């Protein structure tokens, strides 16, 4: 054991030196960035402002970031305009103003900023400070989705997992198809170089395909795309076999073949069917093509709502979603302010998970970026937006805010409406809350029978509700017994008074 000591010491020393080296590299890079920004280099100013706003590689400094963004916005930088729009929408470092935010977003969008375009798409879709318009939302989301789809075609990027802080999950998901994706990229690289090793790859993929392996079939199907000398009928055969086994990439490629008429008769309806199957299996480019077909009415009835939903799904795969990782890491390491700013930007872009995470941080952490009187109203706004996207937990939280009067005037009736909506989505907590309100007649007519029914449903829906429901039943029965005793007492008094009165009457007669 003692002999291992120096070895571990050496390894620890190496790691420590590597860490120091990285820190030193970041410091040097930051100094160069500062120098470039001082002489007016716009890209350097944008990067420096971003680093200071989000706390990337440097201590967070919102005030300095705002100063830089104001200079950039005046010079016509769409990134500066987007940042000021975002900060204005929350009142972080600047005056809270939704109207100013909208102006900044509009100018930035006209300048080609994808984040502003996505924000405006979300706002027009739900009518947030603008007239609700599906067609306007479609225009903005399509611009972003077109760009994301082109990047997916080039790099086949993998989506980032969005961790909910309320669940405190420590383990990020692992996609078992990553290995296959890496293998494909490797052989694509070899093919582009004309490497003879690809013939071995073809042999093994053929062997796997003949054995019934769907990945092998799909890769063989892609060979004609990599090698023009292969014919489309062979590709179609292997794609079809893999598609029947449920392999998303093969389903997508079949959709493309039918859509473009490559080796088969063009058939938009069949293309739509295969794109739909591939999208259900998680193929992002299939989602994009479905959106295109819904938007144009090609192969399906035109549906603005469906097109927007699908375009939005593609937009959420953008590189900005990497902030889910950095925001989560910042939160886990105690850098709450940096985490909040990153989640808040994603929330502004319409990410439901980010809306919940931002609201959670605002109400549960000591946030200094916001004035105290802003916290509950902003958190309520975010809970509402997440609830409107179908988040049950957010719907219950919205009810709680109205029930207790957090950031808004207490309103039992509105609380009951939100609890009822959440209860219809099988929320045991909402059912319990409704039962309590029926028990005491808070905002709704008092009804002991309905209270019992909701308590029963809560216990049936979630085992976690058993003990709270049991205690509520005890309270309910005790109160019921007390009420019965009071009634008996009143009835007894009435009977005694009646006898006395009757006695007096009798005596008098």
């Amino acid at each position: 054991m003692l002999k291992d000591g120096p070895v571990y010491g050496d390894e620890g020393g190496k790691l420590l030196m590597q860490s120091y080296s990285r820190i030193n590299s970041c410091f040097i890079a930051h100094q160069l960035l500062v120098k470039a920004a001082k002489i007016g280099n716009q890209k350097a100013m944008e990067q420096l402002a971003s680093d200071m706003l989000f706390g990337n590689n440097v201590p967070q400094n919102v005030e300095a970031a705002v100063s830089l963004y104001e200079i950039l916005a005046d010079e016509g930088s769409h990134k500066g305009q987007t940042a000021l729009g975002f900060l204005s929408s929350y009142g972080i470092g600047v005056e809270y103003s939704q109207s100013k935010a909208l102006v900044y977003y509009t100018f930035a969008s006209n300048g080609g900023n994808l984040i502003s375009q996505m924000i405006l798409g979300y706002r027009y879709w739900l009518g947030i400070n603008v007239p609700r318009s599906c067609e306007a939302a479609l225009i903005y989301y399509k611009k972003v989705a077109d760009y994301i789809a082109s990047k997916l075609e080039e790099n086949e990027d993998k989506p980032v997992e969005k961790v909910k802080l309320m669940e405190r999950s420590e383990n990020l998901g692992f996609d078992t198809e990553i290995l296959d994706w890496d293998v494909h990229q490797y052989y694509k690289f070899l093919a582009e170089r004309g490497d003879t090793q690809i013939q071995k790859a073809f042999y093994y993929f053929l062997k796997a395909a003949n054995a019934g392996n769907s990945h092998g079939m799909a890769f063989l199907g892609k060979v004609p795309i990599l090698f023009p000398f292969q014919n489309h009928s062979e590709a179609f055969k292997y794609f079809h076999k893999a598609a029947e086994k449920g392999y998303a990439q093969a389903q997508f490629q079949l959709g493309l073949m039918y859509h473009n008429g490559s080796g088969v008769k063009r058939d938009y309806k069949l293309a739509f069917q295969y794109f739909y199957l591939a999208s259900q299996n998680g193929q992002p480019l299939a989602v994009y093509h479905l959106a295109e077909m819904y938007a144009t009415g090609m192969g399906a009835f035109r549906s603005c709502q469906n097109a927007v939903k699908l375009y939005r799904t593609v937009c959420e795969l953008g590189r900005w979603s990497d902030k889910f990782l950095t925001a989560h890491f910042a939160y886990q390491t105690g850098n709450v302010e940096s985490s909040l700013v990153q989640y808040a930007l994603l929330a502004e872009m319409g990410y439901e998970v980010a809306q919940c995470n931002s609201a959670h941080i605002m109400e549960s952490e000591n946030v200094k970026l916001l004035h105290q009187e802003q916290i509950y109203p902003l958190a309520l706004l975010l809970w509402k937006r997440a609830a409107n996207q179908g988040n049950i937990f957010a719907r219950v939280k919205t009810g709680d805010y109205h029930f207790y009067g957090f950031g808004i005037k207490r309103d039992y009736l509105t609380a009951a409406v939100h609890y009822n909506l959440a209860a219809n989505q099988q929320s045991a907590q909402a059912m319990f809350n409704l039962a309590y309100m029926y028990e005491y007649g808070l905002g709704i007519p008092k009804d002991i029978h309905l209270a019992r029914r909701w308590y029963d449903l809560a216990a049936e829906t979630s085992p976690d509700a058993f003990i709270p429901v049991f205690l509520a039943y005890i309270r309910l029965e005790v109160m019921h017994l007390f009420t019965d005793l009071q009634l008996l007492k009143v009835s007894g008094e009435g009977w005694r008074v009646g006898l006395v009165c009757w006695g007096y009457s009798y005596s008098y007669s």
Side-chain angles (χ1 to χ4, degrees), residues 154-189:
E154 291 172 12
N155 304 316
E156 300 187 45
D157 290 340
K158 287 290 173 179
V160 173
E161 184 164 346
K162 305 167 186 68
V163 180
K164 293 183 179 179
L165 295 182
M166 289 76 72
E167 296 174 356
R168 301 295 177 92
S169 174
E170 299 296 330
N171 298 316
L172 296 181
F174 180 77
D175 189 345
T176 55
E177 289 188 11
I178 288 177
L179 179 61
D180 295 314
W181 174 76
D182 287 338
V183 170
H184 167 64
Q185 290 298 304
Y186 173 66
Y187 283 113
K188 183 177 180 181
F189 171 71

Side-chain angles (χ1 to χ4, degrees), residues 137-346:
L138 179 68
I139 291 169
Y140 284 113
Y141 274 127
K142 176 173 168 50
K143 289 178 181 178
V144 183
D146 287 345
Y147 175 82
I148 301 302
S150 69
K151 292 301 175 185
L152 287 170
E153 286 172 350
E154 291 172 12
N155 304 316
E156 300 187 45
D157 290 340
K158 287 290 173 179
V160 173
E161 184 164 346
K162 305 167 186 68
V163 180
K164 293 183 179 179
L165 295 182
M166 289 76 72
E167 296 174 356
R168 301 295 177 92
S169 174
E170 299 296 330
N171 298 316
L172 296 181
F174 180 77
D175 189 345
T176 55
E177 289 188 11
I178 288 177
L179 179 61
D180 295 314
W181 174 76
D182 287 338
V183 170
H184 167 64
Q185 290 298 304
Y186 173 66
Y187 283 113
K188 183 177 180 181
F189 171 71
L190 291 179
E192 288 169 351
R193 288 179 55 192
D195 199 307
T196 56
Q197 290 294 319
I198 196 65
Q199 294 178 3
K200 291 183 180 179
F202 183 86
Y203 168 76
Y204 286 115
F205 286 141
L206 180 62
K207 195 171 182 179
N210 291 335
N213 182 278
S214 60
H215 296 290
M217 294 171 185
F219 281 127
L220 281 180
K222 292 201 78 171
V223 168
I225 297 171
L226 303 178
F227 301 99
F229 54 81
Q230 292 287 332
N231 62 65
H232 286 290
S233 60
E234 283 292 302
F236 181 83
K237 181 178 77 172
Y238 286 114
F239 279 146
H240 197 270
K241 286 182 178 180
E244 286 180 341
K245 291 179 176 291
Y247 189 56
Q249 187 63 21
Q251 293 164 343
F252 169 65
Q253 293 295 338
L254 279 178
L256 277 182
M257 292 183 80
Y258 278 115
H259 185 273
N260 300 329
S262 302
V264 292
K265 184 180 178 181
R266 180 171 286 169
D267 189 326
Y268 289 125
K269 289 187 177 180
L270 276 175
F272 181 89
Q273 289 176 20
Y274 280 112
F275 284 146
Y276 177 78
L277 288 172
S279 72
Q280 294 300 296
N281 288 321
Q283 220 293 341
L285 281 171
V287 177
Y288 171 76
H289 282 280
L290 277 180
E292 292 278 89
M293 298 183 87
Y294 273 122
T296 58
M298 185 183 293
F301 287 110
R302 187 180 187 278
S303 171
C304 181
Q305 287 290 331
N306 286 343
V308 166
K309 289 176 183 177
L310 291 167
Y311 276 138
R312 186 167 176 240
T313 301
V314 176
C315 291
E316 290 188 349
L317 298 176
R319 276 294 181 187
W320 40 77
S321 64
D322 288 352
K323 287 196 182 299
F324 273 103
L325 296 178
T326 54
H328 182 66
F329 179 76
Y331 185 82
Q332 292 294 89
T333 54
N335 196 350
V336 175
E337 307 286 340
S338 172
S339 178
L340 174 60
V341 174
Q342 293 180 76
Y343 278 132
L345 175 60
L346 293 167

Side-chain angles (χ1 to χ4, degrees), residues 406-438:
F406 293 154
I408 198 170
K409 186 180 178 181
R410 179 175 288 183
D411 186 342
Y412 288 133
L413 180 58
T414 303
V417 169
H418 286 289
Y419 289 147
N420 192 62
L421 288 170
N424 290 335
Q425 291 179 282
Q426 300 303 302
S427 167
Q429 180 65 60
M431 294 171 184
F432 185 91
N433 293 353
L434 271 178
Y436 183 87
M437 295 182 79
Y438 273 115

Side-chain angles (χ1 to χ4, degrees), residues 372-449:
Q372 200 62 34
E373 64 273 13
Q374 289 179 277
I375 291 175
Y376 280 131
L378 279 174
L380 175 58
L381 180 69
L382 290 165
W383 286 128
K384 279 183 179 178
R385 289 181 182 179
N388 290 336
Q389 297 194 65
N391 188 291
I392 304 172
F393 182 81
R395 182 65 70 187
V396 174
K397 291 292 290 187
T398 304
D400 290 345
Y401 271 60
H402 285 91
F403 185 92
Y404 294 106
F406 293 154
I408 198 170
K409 186 180 178 181
R410 179 175 288 183
D411 186 342
Y412 288 133
L413 180 58
T414 303
V417 169
H418 286 289
Y419 289 147
N420 192 62
L421 288 170
N424 290 335
Q425 291 179 282
Q426 300 303 302
S427 167
Q429 180 65 60
M431 294 171 184
F432 185 91
N433 293 353
L434 271 178
Y436 183 87
M437 295 182 79
Y438 273 115
E439 182 182 349
Y440 289 97
L442 300 174
I444 47 181
K446 186 174 181 177
D447 191 322
I448 299 300
H449 297 294

